[in-house]
């Protein structure tokens, strides 16, 4: 038990810089995040039993992630500060809405397509930051946004023969997660990461439990197992992500988060036999290009801000 406590403390409260380990942890985080969409796709189909509603899938995600994180917190016994409940609730509400729509979309379209479209959330956050955070957006960031949106339009396959309406669910998920990022920015630096994760998942359980009442159905034994795996997978993804971001500069480690698209593609091939076509590869590649350009621009802006304060 004491050994588990040390591991949990290292994972949730990292204190040393280690770029190499940060890359490995971010790689693990992306594999786990893509794994949650894999499990959601399985639960949204009928291979494990009658398909579960996306609201029930996201409910399982929050319940079992909260159980995993609260178990680690019970062993760590970290010091908590007074939380900003309004910011936490807003962040969690939009996060719950985004992940529910994401889970709904992957039941109908390839994991790679849905994942790539949802990667528009930093672009939406950039646009939303103009009225909500009073941020100024220059030509480079607007160019990055235009590039990413062009990729999304390709993935939407906007022709009568190929259009997939479920892609709009992924696009809506990206927009809602963009709102979530705004509140994450507002929370940044105010509270310890472990406190943010615990409160986020606690509030998520409450919201998801209320939302699932009208669509709840008894899962099969296999579905219970996958729901547990989904929640634990998300808890591990969050722990790895927090640890990775704390062990290296954000400008260095953030681009590695796009590995989620690689794992989603591999899971598509391995578990569903869905080979990415040229539309998926082209649209996804263009979105990644826009996202990397945006990440680079944000890193340069942070560096200039730090230099001006020095």
């Amino acid at each position: 038990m004491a050994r588990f406590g040390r591991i949990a403390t290292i994972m949730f409260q990292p204190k040393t810089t280690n770029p190499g380990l940060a890359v490995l942890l971010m790689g693990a985080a992306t594999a786990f995040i893509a794994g949650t969409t894999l499990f959601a796709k399985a639960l949204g189909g009928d291979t494990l039993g009658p398909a579960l509603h996306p609201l029930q899938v996201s409910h399982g995600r929050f319940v079992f992630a909260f159980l995993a994180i609260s178990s680690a917190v019970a062993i760590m016994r970290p010091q908590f500060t007074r939380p900003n409940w309004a910011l936490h609730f807003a962040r969690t509400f939009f996060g719950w809405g985004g992940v529910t729509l994401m889970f709904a979309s992957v039941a109908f379209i390839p994991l790679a397509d849905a994942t790539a479209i949802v990667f528009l959330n930093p672009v939406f956050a950039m646009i939303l930051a103009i009225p909500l955070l009073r941020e100024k957006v220059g030509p480079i960031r607007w160019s990055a946004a235009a590039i990413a949106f062009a990729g999304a339009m390709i993935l939407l396959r906007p022709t009568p023969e190929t259009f997939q309406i479920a892609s709009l669910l992924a696009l809506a998920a990206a927009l809602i997660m963009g709102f979530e990022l705004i509140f994450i920015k507002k929370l940044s630096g105010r509270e310890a990461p472990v406190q943010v994760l615990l409160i986020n998942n606690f509030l998520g359980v409450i919201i998801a439990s209320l939302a699932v009442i009208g669509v709840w159905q008894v899962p099969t034994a296999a579905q219970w197992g996958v729901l547990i795996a989904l929640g634990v997978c998300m808890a591990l993804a969050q722990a790895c992500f927090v640890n990775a971001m704390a062990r290296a500069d954000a400008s260095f480690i953030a681009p590695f988060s796009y590995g989620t698209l690689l794992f989603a593609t591999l899971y598509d091939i391995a578990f569903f036999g869905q080979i990415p076509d040229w539309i998926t590869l082209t649209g996804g590649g263009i979105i990644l290009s826009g996202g990397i350009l945006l990440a680079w621009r944000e890193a340069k802006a942070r560096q200039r801000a730090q230099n001006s304060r020095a």
Side-chain angles (χ1 to χ4, degrees), residues 3-288:
R3 183 176 181 182
F4 178 78
R6 288 194 296 271
I7 293 173
T9 301
I10 291 171
M11 288 301 292
F12 285 99
Q13 295 179 311
K15 297 180 179 179
T16 59
T17 299
N18 188 330
L21 180 57
V23 172
L24 291 176
L25 287 167
M26 184 59 79
T30 61
F32 287 132
I33 292 170
T36 64
T37 60
L38 168 66
F39 293 140
K41 191 177 185 72
L43 292 165
D46 57 4
T47 56
L48 304 175
L52 296 184
H53 194 282
L55 288 172
Q56 187 165 352
V57 177
S58 63
H59 175 258
R61 167 258 182 268
F62 278 103
V63 168
F64 293 110
F66 173 70
L67 290 175
I69 292 173
S70 59
S71 297
V73 168
I75 295 172
M76 292 164 51
R77 297 182 180 180
Q79 292 294 318
F80 287 153
T81 58
R82 183 177 180 179
N84 186 318
W85 288 106
L87 286 180
H88 278 292
F89 179 82
R91 177 264 170 101
T92 302
F93 179 78
F94 285 110
W96 162 79
V99 78
T100 301
L101 288 172
M102 173 69 167
F103 289 165
S105 70
V106 297
F108 303 102
I109 62 176
L111 295 179
D113 283 17
T115 301
I117 293 172
V118 171
F119 270 135
L120 285 174
N121 69 88
V123 175
F124 282 120
M126 180 204 80
I127 296 171
L128 291 168
I130 299 173
L132 298 179
L133 300 179
R134 305 292 183 183
E135 290 187 2
K136 295 182 179 180
V137 176
I140 294 179
R141 291 204 284 179
W142 278 119
S143 298
I147 291 171
F149 274 120
M153 291 305 101
I154 293 173
L155 286 178
L156 289 176
R157 305 167 189 258
T159 66
E161 295 79 17
T162 60
F163 177 71
Q164 302 176 94
I165 193 169
S167 297
L168 296 178
L169 295 173
L171 190 63
L175 173 60
I176 292 175
M177 288 180 179
F179 277 101
E180 182 191 17
L181 286 178
I182 295 295
F183 290 103
I184 289 175
K185 283 187 177 184
K186 287 179 174 289
L187 275 170
S188 179
R190 292 172 179 255
E191 301 171 28
V194 65
Q195 177 172 320
V196 173
L197 291 180
L198 181 66
I199 294 175
N200 168 242
N201 284 279
F202 169 70
L203 292 176
V205 170
I206 296 174
I207 295 170
S209 296
L210 294 173
V212 79
I213 292 174
V215 298
W216 172 266
Q217 66 186 56
V218 179
T220 64
Q223 287 172 333
W224 274 120
V226 174
L227 284 168
I228 294 171
L230 191 158
V232 172
C233 205
M234 181 54 72
L236 290 172
Q238 291 176 321
C240 288
F241 184 86
V242 167
N243 199 32
M245 294 298 288
R247 290 183 181 274
D249 291 338
S251 58
F252 168 74
I253 197 61
F256 289 96
S257 66
Y258 288 103
T260 305
L261 182 56
L262 171 62
F263 283 106
T265 302
L266 293 176
Y267 295 160
D268 261 339
I269 296 172
F271 294 97
F272 303 108
Q274 293 182 321
I275 308 297
D277 58 15
W278 70 270
I279 296 178
T280 295
L281 295 174
T282 303
I286 292 173
I287 289 176
L288 289 184

Side-chain angles (χ1 to χ4, degrees), residues 141 295-309:
R141 291 204 284 179
W296 173 80
R297 178 62 184 82
E298 296 290 346
K300 297 293 285 185
R302 282 194 297 269
Q303 185 177 14
R304 282 199 299 269
Q306 291 171 357
N307 292 338
S308 65
R309 290 194 297 265

